[in-house]
């Protein structure tokens, strides 16, 4: 966005985000950071033309640590941003999630599927929070004329992930780099479809700038589905050594399969991911390897 000449205001409470990831931008004249939690109304001085709402802890470990705050982020936070969008006639894009499909009975998941979500489980604060955020977006579109776009983001990874947030890719890579066993939950047969971060950002920007009438919800994700054991094998190959695996209990409500149908995104946005899992994992591995050399060690889950 900065390279396209836009002014960018980044609002972050730094609950899970890291200021280090913004270091290269700190001297850019068109970039500002405000430390703020969106569950509180946004400063009235902000006059945005486009709002990307990416706020909310996305790692199960992090969003379950304070589930009430997670829900408030998805409901009160989205409400506050929608009020801001309505006041300034700004477009708003909501980062929703494949979690709205819960443990899906339809595979791959298309946008017309309404999901299979447990409303009272340990993942519900995130799943139901994001579902409610979609409802708020739709009602502000219908009742207040807000141009609101909904992206359902499937598992996304890449350099810059927090090493200790418990996500499968960052955890496996950090474990391998420190000669620890990879912690596979359950028997590792559950699947995820991993999208590289650059592909995801391209999809989000295409959606934001697409015609007014196309608002989603639209799936954004990679269609290459892999089991958790296959991810462990990929990481083991990148580590150039036989890495041990330690099996741990599967967390409650952990979805058994996950793969997006991206027909809609392809048709309306001309979008499809281009970075293969081999390439994406290699880049992510190299990033963590480089960081580890600088710091010596990480706090691991
Ligand atoms: N997982 C695992 N070991 C880990 C972390 C995660 O086996 O150290 C599994 C987890 O049980 C889930 C999948 O990997 O089936 C993806 O987990 P993640 O937390 O990355 O995202 P989710 O898709 O569950 O939100």
């Amino acid at each position: 966005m900065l390279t396209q000449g836009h002014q960018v205001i980044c609002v972050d409470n730094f609950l899970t985000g890291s200021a280090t990831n913004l270091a290269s931008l700190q001297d850019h004249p068109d970039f500002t950071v405000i430390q703020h939690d969106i569950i509180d109304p946004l400063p009235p001085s902000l006059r945005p033309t486009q709002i990307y709402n990416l706020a909310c802890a996305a790692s199960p470990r992090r969003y379950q640590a304070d589930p009430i705050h997670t829900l408030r982020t998805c409901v009160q936070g989205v409400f506050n941003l929608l009020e801001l969008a309505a006041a300034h006639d700004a477009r708003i894009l909501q980062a929703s999630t494949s979690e709205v499909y819960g443990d899906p009975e339809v595979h791959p998941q298309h946008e017309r599927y309404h999901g299979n979500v447990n409303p009272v489980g340990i993942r519900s604060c995130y799943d139901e929070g994001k579902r409610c955020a979609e409802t708020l977006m739709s009602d502000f579109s219908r009742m207040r004329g807000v141009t609101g776009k909904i992206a359902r983001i499937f598992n996304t990874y890449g350099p810059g992930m927090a090493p200790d947030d418990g996500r499968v890719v960052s955890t496996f890579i950090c474990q391998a780099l420190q000669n620890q066993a990879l912690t596979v939950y359950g028997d590792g047969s559950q699947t995820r479809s991993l999208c590289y971060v650059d592909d995801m950002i391209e999809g989000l920007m295409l959606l934001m700038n697409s015609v007014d009438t196309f608002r989603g919800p639209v799936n954004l994700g990679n269609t290459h589905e892999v089991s958790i054991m296959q991810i462990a094998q990929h990481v083991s190959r990148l580590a150039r050594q036989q890495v041990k695996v330690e099996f741990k209990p599967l967390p409650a409500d952990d979805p058994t399969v996950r793969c997006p149908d991206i027909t809609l995104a392809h048709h309306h946005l001309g979008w499809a991911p281009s970075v293969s899992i081999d390439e994406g994992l290699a880049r992510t591995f190299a990033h963590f390897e480089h960081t580890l050399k600088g710091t010596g060690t990480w706090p691991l889950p």
Side-chain angles (χ1 to χ4, degrees), residues 31-260:
F31 185 73
T32 315
V33 183
I34 299 175
Q35 183 158 3
H36 179 88
D37 192 316
I38 60 163
I39 67 175
D40 298 316
L42 280 295
S45 55
L46 294 184
R47 302 194 167 277
T49 51
Q50 295 190 337
I51 302 169
Y52 287 83
N53 181 25
L54 309 174
C56 191
S59 144
R61 169 186 299 265
R62 293 293 175 89
Y63 70 66
Q64 288 164 20
D66 188 350
I68 296 169
H69 184 265
T70 301
L71 257 176
R72 291 180 71 193
T73 304
C74 295
V75 181
Q76 239 167 308
V78 173
F79 174 80
N80 286 333
L81 291 176
L82 280 162
E83 285 289 1
L84 186 71
H88 299 290
D89 201 17
R91 281 186 171 208
I92 177 166
L93 182 150
Q94 168 63 15
S96 186
T97 170
S98 55
E99 293 286 326
V100 300
Y101 301 122
D103 193 9
E105 300 134 317
V106 169
H107 193 65
Q109 294 79 57
H110 55 69
E111 293 85 348
R112 297 175 312 287
Y113 176 49
H114 291 170
N116 176 34
V117 173
N118 175 3
V120 293
I122 55 170
R123 293 176 83 100
S124 312
C125 58
Y126 187 76
D127 302 8
E128 296 289 19
K130 291 282 188 178
R131 286 169 69 93
C132 184
E134 289 199 9
T135 310
L136 276 169
M137 291 284 291
S138 310
D139 285 334
F140 266 75
S141 273
R142 279 189 286 263
M143 308 305 289
R144 304 272 298 273
V146 169
T147 305
K149 309 215 170 208
I150 300 170
R152 289 186 179 154
I153 297 176
F154 284 63
N155 293 61
T156 299
Y157 71 101
M161 296 176 88
D164 59 347
D165 75 355
R167 304 308 296 271
V168 67
V169 169
S170 46
T171 303
F172 282 2
I173 290 177
C174 295
Q175 287 168 334
L177 283 169
Q178 297 185 104
N179 297 317
Q180 296 177 4
L182 310 190
T183 49
V184 171
Y185 300 159
D187 62 5
S189 63
Q190 70 272 32
T191 68
R192 294 296 187 267
S193 305
L194 302 177
C195 187
Y196 189 68
V197 60
D198 291 3
D199 283 330
M200 183 56 62
I201 289 167
E202 186 197 20
L204 293 173
M205 290 177 72
L206 283 169
L207 176 59
M208 175 63 100
N209 296 297
S210 61
V211 290
D212 246 30
T213 45
F214 182 65
R215 299 185 177 190
V218 59
N219 289 339
L220 294 179
N222 199 306
T223 53
H224 183 78
E225 184 182 5
V226 286
S227 70
I228 301 308
M229 276 309 281
Q230 284 173 312
I231 299 173
Q233 283 153 9
H234 270 290
V235 171
S236 178
R237 260 197 307 278
L238 286 166
R240 291 180 292 278
Q241 56 175 304
Q242 194 49 47
V243 181
K244 286 205 185 82
V245 164
E246 183 186 348
F247 291 96
K248 294 212 164 181
L250 189 68
D253 292 336
D254 199 284
T256 45
V257 289
R258 185 73 70 58
C259 182

